[in-house]
Amino acid sequence: MGTLLSVSELKKTYEVRKTVFSIKKDIIRAVDGVSFALEKGKTLGIVGESGSGKSTLVRCILLLERPDSGKIMFNNTNLLEASHAVVKDLRRDMQIIFQDPYSSLNPRKRVFDTLAEPLLFHEIVEKKDLAGKVMEILHNVGLDEDFLKKYPHEMSGGQRQRVAIGRALATGPQLIVADEPISSLDVSIQAQIINLFLDIREGLGISMLFVSHDLNIVRFVSDDIIVMYQGKVVEMGARDEVFFSPLHPYTKMLINAAKGQYNQSEGNGMLDTFNGCPYYPKCDKREPACEHSVPVLTGPENHKAACF
C-alpha cells in the first residue's frame, strides 16, 4: 500500500515553572524522539495514560503545535520544511477529531453550516451541489435531514461527535487523527461511535491515528499499536502481539488496568535532568542500569520494546 505518514525523532519540550512565584523553570520533554510509520489504509493506535505525550504528538504531526526538531513526512512532503501554502493545501488531506465535540463545534452554527464550511473553503463542490453533498455526509455518519437546522446544544454528545466526524470526512482526507474521540461520551454511546470508525476505515480506506488511554479500545480499532510513557515510545508492534504478548512492564500495567486489576497513575512528561529509563521509578523489574541509561527500541519489526 505504501507509507502515508512517517515520523522520525520528533521532539517537543516545554518550560514549566515549579511554582507561581518561581523564577527557575523545569524543562519537560513532552515528546522525546518518537519515530513510526503509518501505511495507507491502516490504523495506528497510540495508547498511554494522561501526560504520556499522546495528544502533544498528534498535535505536532498536524502542526497545531510546532515541534522542536524531527521530521514529518506526509505523502512524500516534509511538513516541517514545507511552505505555508503547501501545508494549507495538505490540510484537506489531514483532519482531526477532538475529544470534546461540544467545544470543537461552533455553538453559533447549525449542522448544515458546520458541514458546508470545509466544502466551500477548499472549493470541493459548487454551491449548486452543496446541499446534496452535505446530506451525503450526514447520512454517512448515521444522521438524517432533521439535524441540518440544529445547533450543537440541541444534540446529544454522541450526535455532536457524529457531526464532528462528518466535518472531518467532508474534505475527503487521506488521514484522520482521532484524539480520545469517545472518552467524553456515555458508555452506551461509545460502541456506536467505535463501530462508525470501523465502517469509515473499511468503507473509505482512510488511514487513522487513534489516540486513547484505553488499550481495549485501541486494540479493537487498530492494526498496530505504539505505547507511550512520558514522551517516549516504550513498546510498538502488531496489535495482537502487543496486547497478548506485552514485553514492557508499563504495557503490562496498562493491560491489567484495562482489566480493572490496577489503577493507572498519571505522568507529566519526563524532566530534562533525568537520564535513565522513564519508567524506572515505578518499575518492579528495574535494574541498576535502568537508572543511568535509556533503553532503545529493539526487536523484530512486528514487535519492539524499550526495556533492558
Side-chain angles (χ1 to χ4, degrees):
M1 294 291 290
T3 300
L4 177 69
L5 174 70
S6 176
V7 175
S8 179
E9 288 298 315
L10 203 66
K11 295 184 178 183
K12 178 66 178 178
T13 59
Y14 297 100
E15 291 185 348
V16 180
R17 295 182 185 274
K18 291 186 175 182
T19 68
V20 176
F21 304 103
S22 175
I23 297 176
K24 188 176 180 181
K25 298 178 180 179
D26 283 330
I27 305 298
I28 302 295
R29 301 196 296 259
V31 177
D32 191 9
V34 173
S35 301
F36 67 84
L38 175 65
E39 292 185 13
K40 293 178 180 178
K42 298 292 186 179
T43 297
L44 176 66
I46 304 174
V47 69
E49 61 192 349
S50 298
S52 62
K54 309 184 303 295
S55 293
T56 303
L57 171 63
V58 296
R59 290 177 68 86
C60 285
I61 291 171
L62 296 177
L63 301 187
L64 298 178
E65 293 192 41
R66 193 77 183 181
D68 299 329
S69 62
K71 190 175 183 180
I72 305 169
M73 297 294 296
F74 179 76
N75 257 350
N76 299 318
T77 299
N78 189 341
L79 298 183
L80 297 182
E81 295 179 355
S83 66
H84 177 75
V86 170
V87 172
K88 182 180 178 181
D89 288 340
L90 287 174
R91 290 233 178 259
R92 67 175 288 178
D93 293 323
M94 305 161 56
Q95 295 291 315
I96 186 169
I97 300 163
F98 294 100
Q99 176 178 350
D100 183 5
Y102 190 76
S103 62
S104 67
L105 297 176
N106 190 328
R108 297 182 179 181
K109 286 188 176 181
R110 299 177 189 270
V111 169
F112 180 88
D113 297 317
T114 296
L115 298 180
E117 184 177 32
L119 297 172
L120 294 174
F121 179 82
H122 292 286
E123 300 179 343
I124 294 172
V125 297
E126 297 181 8
K127 286 192 175 181
K128 64 182 179 66
D129 301 318
L130 182 62
K133 184 62 176 177
V134 169
M135 279 304 306
E136 179 186 335
I137 295 169
L138 205 61
H139 287 148
N140 285 342
V141 295
L143 298 176
D144 57 41
E145 61 185 14
D146 293 340
F147 287 87
L148 288 175
K149 295 183 178 180
K150 288 189 176 184
Y151 290 96
H153 71 272
E154 297 177 313
M155 297 181 289
S156 68
Q159 291 165 348
R160 285 193 290 264
Q161 194 62 293
R162 287 177 184 271
V163 172
I165 294 170
R167 180 180 59 184
L169 292 174
T171 62
Q174 298 181 54
L175 172 67
I176 282 184
V177 175
D179 188 6
E180 299 271 11
I182 65 168
S183 61
S184 64
L185 304 178
D186 292 340
V187 175
S188 60
I189 305 299
Q190 289 183 358
Q192 297 176 22
I193 300 300
I194 288 295
N195 286 331
L196 177 59
F197 275 109
L198 293 175
D199 291 341
I200 290 168
R201 186 184 70 173
E202 296 189 12
L204 302 178
I206 294 176
S207 301
M208 280 197 281
L209 295 178
F210 194 95
V211 178
S212 179
H213 63 274
D214 191 324
L215 197 55
N216 280 323
I217 292 174
V218 168
R219 174 179 166 252
F220 192 67
V221 302
S222 304
D223 297 296
D224 299 288
I225 294 174
I226 65 174
V227 182
M228 291 188 67
Y229 183 76
Q230 296 203 356
K232 287 186 175 293
V233 175
V234 296
E235 188 160 354
M236 65 189 305
R239 171 192 61 201
D240 289 343
E241 284 288 329
V242 172
F243 193 84
F244 291 114
S245 304
L247 300 174
H248 197 281
Y250 177 64
T251 308
K252 296 175 183 178
M253 186 278 289
L254 285 179
I255 292 172
N256 288 331
K259 296 176 181 177
Q261 296 177 7
Y262 291 99
N263 292 323
Q264 296 181 44
S265 56
E266 295 188 359
N268 295 299
M270 179 56 66
L271 286 175
D272 198 44
T273 54
F274 185 72
N275 296 315
C277 173
Y279 197 57
Y280 174 81
K282 299 179 181 179
C283 185
D284 59 358
K285 305 283 187 183
R286 62 190 181 192
E287 299 177 357
C290 304
E291 186 177 4
H292 306 290
S293 303
V294 179
V296 297
L297 280 169
T298 56
E301 196 62 34
N302 69 331
H303 197 180
K304 299 180 179 181
C307 185
F308 291 123

